[in-house]
Amino acid sequence: MGDVLWTPPADVLQRSRIGNYLRWLREHRGLDFADYDALWRWSVEDLAAFWGSVWDHFEVVAHTPPTATLTDPAMPGTRWFPGATLNYAENVLRMPGRADDDPVVIAHGQTRAPVTLTPAQLREQVRRVAAGLRRLGVVAGDRVAAYAPNIPETYVLLLATSSLGAIFSSCAPEFGTRSVTDRWQQIEPKVLVAVDGYRYGDKPVDRRGEVAAIRAALPSLEHTVGIAYLDPAGTPSEGMLGWDELAAATDEPLTFTPVPFDHPLYVLYSSGTTGLPKPIVHGHGGILLEHLKMLALHHDLGPADRFFWFTTTGWMMWNFLVSAPAVGATIVLFDGNPGHPDLGALWRLAEETGTTYFGTSAPFLLACRKAGLVPREIADLAALRGVGSTGAPLPAEGFTWVYETVGERLQLQSLSGGTDVCTGFVGGVPLLPVHAGEITCRALGARVEARSADGTPVIGELGELVITAPMPSMPVGFWNDPDGRRYREAYFEVYPGVWRHGDWITINDRGGCVITGRSDATLNRGGVRLGTAEFYSVVEGLDEVVDSVVVHLEDDEGGAGELLLFVVLAEGLELDDALRRKICRELRTALSPRHVPDEIHQVRAVPRTLSAKKLEVPVKKILTGTPVDSAAAKGALVNPESLTAFATFAQRRASDHDTPTPA
């Protein structure tokens, strides 16, 4: 892998926050590290010293100090910072380095005019909403749910909820009723805050019917608060309060309930592609420390920065984005269709808001590349010094496109992590060069390894991604899992005491990482494991192909099995033998003969989750005879109707083969 596309400037240690941290370690701990690799090794081998240094370096505000950094590093069950009490919201609202009248939240969208909040205004809104929640009877441990988009009110609600020690959960308003109730019936919220609708591009989307259905399905609700977002002149439905009533003037001071380090902060959910979504509980202290480390030391964010990530409130990147004021950075929020009126919209937003760090998904960058977009020609991106990419592996051509069309001097950071840890555990760092197609490094404090089939660590070979030392932002548990059984099954069943994440990863000898798709969706042809990401970069690189999904049906007798490729073609195109031959030729040339599918079929759409992940595993289940309703939770899909085509295809194949479809 890897042409070098960017190298750190000569004065990186003087200018970066990680350089400042290294000086602090030398001065306060007597520690000196020759390079990033040495620093990383220390951070994963002496966990107590490393995470203790993060606590001290960032001057975490605590009400009572910890008696230790961690007790028993065995997983699961590690206890971090026992005895400490603190509050996430208090640490975020400190906003170090910011004056009361600086902009700290800049919110744009397609439903209303832009909104800017200063630190003073943000604290005042949190104060009022916390008082309003208290009036509604919310106390520590209660759940407050937001059916709301990426707007200031949702952020204020998160901070107000956590200031009380109550527990927050959000669903983006594009989620259907079933998706929402599958999540929230598990946690039984006391208060629901919901918008009346939103605009997606120029299309109004009324959600009042969904809100009524959600209310009816949640008997735990004592209060519902409406935000008049789509129709500012609208009035709340019967039995609902308005947002302005919740945030009414009061003279109660802003206070922060001290809670233990692992007290629940919010509940995030796995995609919910099979069965009920897993309710993943994250704690105040673990999230705070992890985000301080990642945002400051890896993304190099501070008071001079404006940090944007395109996300909805249904994806953990929203939770990651909104921690940035804790390191002094301004956050840029966006709600709407990122492709409206065209794919240049977010790049123009970056110019308008003075964004210094632009975060997005790999599919968005690849879509811009495919459309022939040159962002620096349509927007002044002089302020931009960082671009982040996640959500899917970014192939080398995506890296090259960023440097050719966005900017030569910025640092591109491809990162990967997950909802389970609410962070990236592999990503970029200012101290190391950027190589095309490669995630730069393993993050500090994240002991990521690749494991071969027999469980031994490997370098330079494809392996199962595991984490072999605890991280503070690992979940404090799953909701309603008192004995921890579901939690252990999710991560620790394959390798006892080791977190198995479910991705394939190759770690090279310089510490660079390449993730090649989900290990549970990985193709295995005759014992050779093939990641799906490289497939897609070749197939979707063709002008004719808009989207694709590939699955491997194993041969029970150990043969090569069948590799099936499904493609969505550009408007007006039909799949013919000439295009089939072209796709096969490209795969054979770019990858290997093993990557050539046995069959290629055209479909109208690839099934995707609400966070845009392809559903290879449910497609495979349907193709092997699992009924559609059992293969995937339709409410978790953007396009549940897309599954029908695969069910029809499976039935046709079964009758063609004249054998019963396997159960």
Side-chain angles (χ1 to χ4, degrees):
M1 282 310 258
D3 301 333
V4 174
L5 299 174
W6 178 88
T7 49
D11 60 352
V12 64
L13 288 171
Q14 285 73 51
R15 289 203 340 217
S16 64
R17 296 202 70 169
I18 194 167
N20 185 43
Y21 171 66
L22 285 166
R23 284 193 297 281
W24 184 91
L25 285 176
R26 194 175 305 129
E27 188 180 326
H28 293 269
R29 298 289 195 268
L31 294 168
D32 224 332
F33 297 101
D35 54 20
Y36 180 78
D37 187 59
L39 177 64
W40 177 78
R41 288 189 187 285
W42 167 74
S43 78
V44 296
E45 287 166 3
D46 194 342
L47 296 174
F50 171 66
W51 288 106
S53 79
V54 171
W55 177 286
D56 291 345
H57 178 69
F58 290 104
E59 298 176 345
V60 167
V61 178
H63 292 254
T64 51
T67 55
T69 300
L70 77 165
T71 58
D72 186 7
M75 296 187 287
T78 308
R79 278 204 64 213
W80 291 94
F81 295 90
T85 59
L86 76 175
N87 189 287
Y88 168 83
E90 183 172 15
N91 280 275
V92 171
L93 288 170
R94 197 171 37 154
M95 296 175 272
R98 305 312 298 267
D100 275 357
D101 56 354
D102 286 346
V104 74
V105 178
I106 300 172
H108 283 244
Q110 293 161 346
T111 305
R112 67 179 175 202
V115 175
T116 298
L117 297 179
T118 65
Q121 290 168 329
L122 178 60
R123 289 188 191 106
E124 172 63 7
Q125 289 202 15
V126 172
R127 182 185 74 79
R128 288 182 174 208
V129 171
L133 291 173
R134 216 180 274 116
R135 282 197 303 278
L136 299 184
V138 173
V139 297
D142 286 341
R143 278 76 66 204
V144 174
Y147 187 59
N150 184 9
I151 56 176
E153 289 92 332
T154 319
Y155 184 40
V156 167
L157 185 69
L158 161 64
L159 294 172
T161 301
S162 56
S163 77
L164 302 174
I167 303 163
F168 178 83
S169 182
S170 59
C171 285
E174 64 266 24
F175 281 31
T177 306
R178 171 73 187 275
S179 267
V180 175
T181 55
D182 277 354
R183 286 160 168 76
W184 287 345
Q185 281 173 347
Q186 297 184 69
I187 64 164
E188 301 178 298
K190 179 184 271 191
V191 175
L192 168 65
V193 177
V195 290
D196 55 348
Y198 57 92
R199 283 183 187 278
Y200 193 73
D202 52 12
K203 180 185 169 196
V205 182
D206 189 320
R207 294 316 250 178
R208 288 173 298 180
E210 283 75 9
V211 173
I214 291 164
R215 290 176 71 190
L218 295 175
S220 62
L221 284 181
E222 295 180 13
H223 303 280
T224 304
V225 178
I227 301 173
Y229 182 54
L230 179 61
D231 176 13
T235 54
S237 302
E238 189 179 343
M240 284 170 60
L241 293 167
W243 176 262
D244 290 344
E245 291 174 80
L246 180 71
T250 167
D251 56 6
E252 284 182 53
L254 177 59
T255 58
F256 301 97
T257 301
V259 295
F261 187 87
D262 56 3
H263 182 82
L265 168 63
Y266 39 61
V267 183
L268 303 182
Y269 300 86
S270 64
S271 297
T273 53
T274 56
L276 282 177
K278 296 194 297 282
I280 299 167
V281 182
H282 285 292
H284 276 244
I287 287 296
L288 175 66
L289 281 195
E290 174 59 37
H291 290 179
L292 288 171
K293 175 210 78 180
M294 203 70 196
L295 293 163
L297 304 184
H298 285 272
H299 294 305
D300 198 33
L301 296 169
D305 287 293
R306 295 190 172 187
F307 180 45
F308 167 78
W309 209 291
F310 176 71
T311 179
T312 72
T313 55
W315 188 24
M316 51 76 43
M317 288 309 298
W318 182 79
N319 303 75
F320 186 76
L321 165 69
V322 300
S323 283
V327 298
T330 296
I331 52 173
V332 178
L333 310 180
F334 174 79
D335 170 45
N337 178 353
H340 177 82
D342 55 60
L343 279 170
L346 295 184
W347 302 105
R348 291 189 290 270
L349 175 72
E351 174 184 353
E352 189 178 344
T353 56
T355 292
T356 62
Y357 194 110
F358 180 96
T360 184
S361 67
F364 175 79
L365 295 175
L366 294 172
C368 290
R369 174 180 178 266
K370 195 160 189 171
L373 195 68
V374 181
R376 66 178 178 205
E377 290 180 359
I378 61 163
D380 178 357
L381 301 174
L384 206 59
R385 58 186 191 84
V387 169
S389 169
T390 192
L394 184 67
E397 57 267 28
F399 279 72
T400 306
W401 176 83
V402 168
Y403 281 96
E404 286 176 350
T405 66
V406 181
E408 295 163 10
R409 298 175 60 185
L410 55 82
Q411 185 183 11
L412 171 60
Q413 297 186 325
S414 176
L415 64 148
S416 185
T419 304
D420 322 77
V421 285
C422 198
T423 189
F425 41 63
V426 292
V429 71
L431 305 179
L432 293 176
V434 174
H435 294 261
E438 191 174 301
I439 296 172
T440 301
C441 64
R442 292 169 281 186
L444 294 175
R447 193 165 188 160
V448 174
E449 295 179 7
R451 289 268 171 110
S452 66
D454 65 3
T456 53
V458 290
I459 293 289
E461 290 175 37
L462 190 66
E464 183 94 48
L465 190 160
V466 298
I467 305 174
T468 60
M471 294 169 64
S473 71
M474 285 174 173
V476 296
F478 289 172
W479 193 264
N480 209 8
D481 180 28
D483 60 0
R485 183 178 57 83
R486 289 177 67 201
Y487 180 52
R488 286 192 302 277
E489 281 174 0
Y491 309 113
F492 298 102
E493 204 160 53
V494 176
Y495 306 110
V498 170
W499 173 293
R500 171 185 173 267
H501 197 68
D503 284 333
W504 291 124
I505 188 170
T506 305
I507 302 170
N508 62 30
D509 53 10
R510 62 168 172 259
C513 305
V514 177
I515 289 181
T516 39
R518 295 292 295 172
S519 55
D520 51 11
T522 297
L523 321 166
N524 189 336
R525 301 206 86 183
V528 176
R529 295 184 297 197
L530 312 172
T532 52
E534 49 195 0
F535 251 90
Y536 300 137
S537 70
V538 173
V539 173
E540 292 164 27
L542 298 171
D543 290 339
E544 297 91 338
V545 180
V546 174
D547 203 357
S548 64
V549 63
V550 64
V551 291
H552 180 247
L553 304 183
E554 285 85 2
D555 176 354
D556 292 340
E557 291 161 15
E562 283 184 288
L563 194 61
L564 305 181
L565 174 64
F566 298 88
V567 292
V568 180
L569 299 183
E571 194 77 34
L573 292 186
E574 292 293 326
L575 182 64
D576 57 16
D577 287 343
L579 183 51
R580 283 189 177 92
R581 285 194 296 271
K582 180 177 179 181
I583 292 170
C584 291
R585 188 170 63 245
E586 289 289 327
L587 284 165
R588 182 182 287 109
T589 307
L591 300 175
S592 79
R594 285 185 183 274
H595 290 79
V596 175
D598 298 294
E599 297 176 16
I600 306 176
H601 300 277
Q602 184 173 356
V603 289
R604 292 181 61 170
V606 167
R608 287 182 180 270
T609 67
L610 294 162
S611 56
K613 289 188 168 60
K614 300 188 200 210
L615 293 186
E616 291 121 331
V617 174
V619 167
K620 181 173 176 175
K621 286 182 174 177
I622 291 167
L623 295 181
T624 53
T626 303
V628 169
D629 289 343
S630 306
K634 287 185 176 178
L637 273 65
V638 171
N639 50 359
E641 70 289 345
S642 62
L643 294 172
T644 312
F646 295 96
T648 308
F649 176 79
Q651 288 164 353
R652 196 170 65 239
R653 268 170 62 92
S655 58
D656 286 353
H657 290 143
D658 203 29
T659 54
T661 306

